[in-house]
Amino acid sequence: MKANAERIEKNTVLLEVEVDADQFSQAMDRAYRKLVKKVNVPGFRPGKAPRIILERHIGKQALLDEAVEMLIPEAYFKAVQDTGIEPVAQPQLELVQVEEGKPVVFKARVVVKPEVELGQYKGLEVTQPSTEVTPEDVQKELERLQNRHAKLVSLDEGTVQQGDLVTIDFEGRVDGEPFEGGQATDYTLEVGNAGLIPGFEDQLLGMAINETKEITVRFPEDYPKPELSGKEAVFTVTVKAIKRKELAPLDDEFAKDVSEFDTLEELRADLENKLKQAAEARAKAETRQAVLKKAVENAQVDIPEEMIQTRLAEMLQSLERRLMVQGLTLENYLKYSNSTVEEMEERLRPDARESLKTMLVLDAIAKAENITVTEEEIQAEIERMAKEMQQDPAVVRKVVEGQGQLEAVTTGLVRDKVIQFLVDQANIVAQDGQPATE
């Protein structure tokens, strides 16, 4: 077999393939053996009709078509391997010559992975986010812990304050008419938790137990139900009960009750340490992202529309899976958001393009720097996945390989190593302009 690849446009290659006559003859024999089992030829048992009889019965062209259908995919994938091109979409095929006793010749117009023009990706300067933890940060964390362990006390009298847990009845109307979902009895909410329409909870402040009043709010423009978005609503609200948090004093007894520590100072030191670890992890992640973003911005690449369409389809499928977990369908989601698939794709298009560019740049840097992964690193990743899933590593590897996902695992590891390479090569400075460690 002969194959030649010629770039005819920026991201398009014309593949010319010639399959020798012997291979075509073998394909014709395979086609005969396949068709003779399916076709009922009068006077012959199934699968026993001679080839010449079968050809007379179904026509020579049917045999040629079947042979070509079997031969072309095999020849195309072999030609892709031999020429080293990287297709990103299905090819457009054109048969040039199909004649028994002669080579089969065909052309394939193939959209390929675009070439990346790398800019500067070494020595990039980024500022590392601050990892400082102040006494105020620790105090706020202590207060959050204090609130989390607060006791709820039912009030016999008094008025609603921020942070109270209130039980209410309400009935809402838009343009004087009740609407679906606008009524509730014994509804409980935490005031200030922003669980309802903006402005609703603020108007509960100062209300007394058993007091009834009208609250006027406006639904946000992006409210999921189009018939209500932007509309003004009037709710008749009755406060039925108020519960208030009773905070324990921040002392050694509190520390003993909520932690394994005996003193407040030990608890405070532990919280400070955890906040420091969280700040360092956050700074590390943000630094990696900043270095990667600069490397991607410095590169140039013309991404084919076919790649973008494939990426958009993947993003919509991912969204659909997330919605299913919440008991929704994509159709209902689009209905609630007053949108269409086309509008959704248009909103996702910039993210699709950016994610593709990022992956292409990472792959190009890996190639330029000869960054690869070893079998030991792949196995270590399989073992990490297995531990996460609480499965046997051998079973996980078999599943990954069976689903054809080993290449994806390998590619992900390579890209992670490239990002770390970029960070190692970067000039990372602290907020004060001094050199910083990752």
Side-chain angles (χ1 to χ4, degrees):
M1 191 188 84
K2 300 175 184 177
N4 179 59
E6 177 188 358
R7 190 172 290 272
I8 55 175
E9 293 175 16
K10 194 164 188 178
N11 295 317
T12 306
V13 165
L14 184 63
L15 200 60
E16 295 189 43
V17 183
E18 180 181 307
V19 184
D20 61 53
D22 286 344
Q23 283 182 271
F24 186 36
S25 178
Q26 293 170 15
M28 288 287 286
D29 288 339
R30 284 158 53 202
Y32 157 69
R33 290 194 297 272
K34 179 180 178 182
L35 291 177
V36 76
K37 295 175 183 177
K38 296 181 177 181
V39 177
N40 185 20
V41 181
F44 294 92
R45 287 179 297 165
K48 297 299 183 180
R51 178 168 162 179
I52 190 169
I53 301 297
L54 180 68
E55 287 181 8
R56 288 175 186 168
H57 185 70
I58 64 174
K60 183 87 168 186
Q61 190 60 46
L63 204 61
L64 287 170
D65 291 345
E66 184 67 31
V68 167
E69 192 174 320
M70 298 169 74
L71 185 66
I72 295 298
E74 298 172 356
Y76 169 72
F77 287 117
K78 181 69 165 58
V80 166
Q81 291 178 340
D82 291 349
T83 57
I85 64 172
E86 297 181 78
V88 295
Q90 291 296 320
Q92 296 178 10
L93 297 173
E94 177 193 350
L95 289 174
V96 177
Q97 178 175 284
V98 179
E99 190 175 337
E100 194 171 10
K102 294 183 179 181
V104 173
V105 180
F106 69 91
K107 295 180 180 180
R109 187 183 178 92
V110 189
V111 179
V112 296
K113 188 176 179 179
E115 294 181 356
V116 178
E117 184 181 333
L118 291 172
Q120 180 188 356
Y121 60 87
K122 295 180 183 179
L124 298 171
E125 183 170 311
V126 296
T127 301
Q128 184 185 64
S130 173
T131 59
E132 180 186 7
V133 175
T134 66
E136 291 77 15
D137 295 330
V138 179
Q139 184 62 29
K140 286 179 182 177
E141 194 64 25
L142 266 175
E143 290 170 1
R144 275 195 285 271
L145 197 60
Q146 187 184 32
N147 269 280
R148 195 155 64 239
H149 291 272
K151 294 180 181 178
L152 282 174
V153 178
S154 296
L155 303 186
D156 295 325
E157 57 183 19
T159 58
V160 177
Q161 297 179 10
Q162 285 282 2
D164 285 348
L165 206 67
V166 298
T167 301
I168 60 174
D169 292 347
F170 63 83
E171 182 177 0
R173 295 176 181 271
V174 171
D175 297 329
E177 297 294 328
F179 58 91
E180 185 181 354
Q183 304 82 29
T185 301
D186 293 333
Y187 184 87
T188 301
L189 76 153
E190 183 179 349
V191 179
N193 200 31
L196 294 176
I197 305 165
F200 187 100
E201 294 170 36
D202 292 340
Q203 296 179 64
L204 292 175
L205 297 174
M207 288 185 67
I209 298 172
N210 296 324
E211 180 181 352
T212 300
K213 80 171 188 179
E214 289 189 343
I215 288 176
T216 301
V217 294
R218 185 174 294 277
F219 284 97
E221 294 294 337
D222 59 353
Y223 195 69
K225 296 184 177 180
E227 67 273 15
L228 296 177
S229 62
K231 294 285 186 69
E232 184 178 88
V234 178
F235 288 87
T236 302
V237 182
T238 300
V239 174
K240 300 179 74 174
I242 303 174
K243 291 183 179 180
R244 187 161 296 160
K245 292 178 180 178
E246 187 178 86
L247 302 178
L250 293 174
D251 54 19
D252 291 347
E253 287 303 314
F254 173 78
K256 291 176 183 178
D257 289 340
V258 303
S259 72
E260 70 272 26
F261 300 106
D262 292 328
T263 68
L264 183 64
E265 284 311 305
E266 288 176 316
L267 175 59
R268 192 184 295 272
D270 182 66
L271 290 175
E272 182 178 6
N273 183 51
K274 288 177 179 175
L275 287 173
K276 183 73 173 176
Q277 290 176 357
E280 289 172 351
R282 186 168 57 251
K284 178 179 179 179
E286 291 178 10
T287 299
R288 285 167 63 88
Q289 190 59 35
V291 173
L292 175 59
K293 184 178 179 181
K294 280 197 172 186
V296 173
E297 286 175 347
N298 290 343
Q300 299 293 325
V301 57
D302 182 16
I303 302 175
E305 178 62 23
E306 290 84 352
M307 285 188 77
I308 295 174
Q309 288 298 326
T310 300
R311 181 64 180 142
L312 285 171
E314 292 170 352
M315 294 171 79
L316 283 175
Q317 287 172 2
S318 177
L319 171 62
E320 198 163 11
R321 286 193 294 270
R322 294 198 302 273
L323 290 171
M324 285 176 64
V325 173
Q326 301 173 39
L328 293 172
T329 64
L330 181 60
E331 183 181 357
N332 286 337
Y333 176 79
L334 292 172
K335 182 181 177 181
Y336 291 148
S337 59
N338 195 26
S339 185
T340 64
V341 171
E342 291 74 22
E343 289 170 340
M344 178 70 71
E345 286 183 343
E346 206 53 39
R347 288 196 294 272
L348 292 174
R349 181 173 285 269
D351 290 340
R353 186 184 296 276
E354 188 64 22
S355 65
L356 284 170
K357 183 180 180 183
T358 299
M359 290 185 286
L360 289 167
V361 169
L362 286 173
D363 293 346
I365 295 174
K367 185 176 181 180
E369 298 293 337
N370 194 30
I371 297 174
T372 59
V373 292
T374 64
E375 173 56 33
E376 289 75 14
E377 288 170 320
I378 295 171
Q379 184 58 31
E381 176 64 10
I382 294 290
E383 290 174 3
R384 185 198 66 78
M385 293 166 60
K387 185 177 180 180
E388 195 173 87
M389 294 185 285
Q390 296 183 335
Q391 293 287 337
D392 182 81
V395 173
V396 172
R397 176 140 197 163
K398 188 175 181 179
V399 171
V400 168
E401 291 176 343
Q403 295 178 346
Q405 293 297 310
L406 190 60
E407 183 179 353
V409 171
T410 303
T411 301
L413 289 172
V414 170
R415 288 171 180 166
D416 282 345
K417 288 184 77 171
V418 172
I419 296 173
Q420 188 59 50
F421 170 82
L422 296 175
V423 172
D424 292 341
Q425 295 290 320
N427 178 23
I428 302 172
V429 296
Q431 296 281 352
D432 58 5
Q434 297 299 312
T437 57
E438 186 192 345

